[in-house]
């Protein structure tokens, strides 16, 4: 069965490049990014894992742990990490799951038979501290992920989880956000003391509440 937004993120135990983990326990009370790679020693994946390592401080600032998964084994992963560090001028310090039995890939619907029965597509799962799926992005194997967009989605999820707002098209951190239609107009001033502007009955903007 396919996973959907707001579903519980399935727990699992897996071997990784940093030892065995229980996913929910490892995640603790932090946000999580779980993302898959078709295979080790592949060019696009090498750039993606390198970029993830380079963004270590950005993920840490967002209280977010990153966990990658590929169906290759630990020895293969460790050799690949050496290549990534050398070619991408970085240090991979996050775990990569050795999903040789395809348990995690199957749990998270990362294998699409029309694409491949063994290699995973490029799925990204955003997982909240309550272990709910906040968002899902899936790319084909030939298209590298945009990590600026991954960080943007993460920022939006964290903002909207704590405030009665939504982020409009092309939103970036620091820009105005949309007040939820569930907030009555008579309550807006108290709820959003930074001010607001009304475009019409259902479109109201306010400065980003947590900035």
């Amino acid at each position: 069965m396919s996973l959907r937004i707001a579903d519980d993120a399935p727990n699992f135990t897996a071997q990784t490049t940093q030892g065995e983990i229980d996913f929910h326990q490892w995640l603790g009370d932090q946000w999580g990014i779980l993302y898959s790679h078709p295979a080790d020693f592949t060019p696009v994946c090498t750039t993606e894992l390198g970029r993830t390592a380079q963004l270590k401080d950005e993920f840490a600032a967002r209280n977010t742990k990153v966990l990658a998964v590929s169906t290759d084994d630990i020895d293969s992963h460790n050799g690949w990490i050496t290549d990534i560090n050398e070619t991408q001028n970085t240090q991979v310090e996050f775990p990569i799951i050795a999903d040789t039995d395809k348990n995690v890939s199957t749990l998270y619907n990362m294998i699409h038979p029309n694409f491949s029965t063994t290699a995973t597509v490029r799925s990204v799962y955003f997982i909240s501290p309550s272990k709910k799926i906040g968002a899902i992005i899936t790319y084909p194997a030939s298209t590298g992920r945009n990590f600026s967009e991954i960080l943007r989605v993460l920022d939006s999820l964290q903002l909207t989880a704590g405030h009665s707002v939504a982020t409009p098209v092309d939103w970036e951190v620091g820009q105005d956000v949309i007040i939820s239609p569930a907030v009555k107009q008579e309550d807006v001033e108290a709820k959003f003391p930074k001010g607001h502007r009304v475009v019409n009955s259902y479109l109201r903007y306010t400065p980003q509440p947590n900035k």
Side-chain angles (χ1 to χ4, degrees):
M1 183 180 293
S2 296
L3 292 172
R4 298 180 175 89
I5 290 173
D7 283 354
D8 292 329
N11 194 26
F12 56 82
T13 300
Q15 296 296 327
T16 81
T17 51
Q18 296 183 5
E20 183 176 278
I21 66 165
D22 175 288
F23 180 52
H24 284 186
Q25 186 177 47
W26 175 82
L27 197 58
D29 61 357
Q30 295 183 264
W31 288 76
I33 299 287
L34 173 65
Y35 70 133
S36 54
H37 297 275
D40 293 357
F41 300 101
T42 50
V44 177
C45 299
T46 297
T47 64
E48 291 179 324
L49 286 173
R51 186 63 178 141
T52 304
Q54 293 164 1
L55 292 171
K56 173 185 174 182
D57 291 343
E58 294 291 338
F59 287 113
R62 292 163 173 82
N63 193 35
T64 300
K65 286 186 169 182
V66 179
L67 181 61
V69 56
S70 170
T71 58
D72 292 309
D73 62 28
I74 291 290
D75 288 342
S76 176
H77 285 354
N78 286 329
W80 187 28
I81 287 172
T82 298
D83 271 10
I84 295 165
N85 292 341
E86 290 177 354
T87 63
Q88 307 303 305
N89 192 30
T90 190
Q91 288 293 316
V92 172
E93 297 177 347
F94 55 90
I96 305 174
I97 295 170
D99 193 33
T100 54
D101 61 2
K102 302 181 183 62
N103 177 52
V104 177
S105 301
T106 301
L107 273 176
Y108 280 83
N109 196 36
M110 293 168 168
I111 294 178
H112 295 188
N114 287 337
F115 162 67
S116 169
T117 58
T118 57
T120 61
V121 293
R122 299 184 193 281
S123 295
V124 185
Y125 285 86
F126 299 77
I127 298 168
S128 73
S130 62
K131 314 300 184 294
K132 297 287 186 180
I133 295 172
I136 305 167
I137 305 176
T138 298
Y139 302 76
S142 57
T143 302
R145 283 166 271 224
N146 183 325
F147 277 81
S148 295
E149 174 65 1
I150 288 172
L151 290 175
R152 192 189 78 92
V153 172
L154 186 57
D155 286 331
S156 176
L157 289 171
Q158 293 182 346
L159 168 63
T160 57
H163 301 274
S164 300
V165 296
T167 53
V169 62
D170 296 334
W171 173 84
E172 300 286 349
V173 170
Q175 296 178 350
D176 287 356
V177 296
I178 293 170
I179 298 170
S180 169
V183 178
K184 295 179 180 179
Q185 185 59 36
E186 56 265 31
D187 298 329
V188 167
E189 189 172 341
K191 197 169 184 66
F192 301 101
K194 291 184 179 181
H196 71 285
R197 59 187 173 93
V198 177
V199 177
N200 59 25
S201 61
Y202 60 84
L203 183 55
R204 302 166 296 174
Y205 290 91
T206 189
Q208 184 175 332
N210 62 350
K211 284 291 180 182

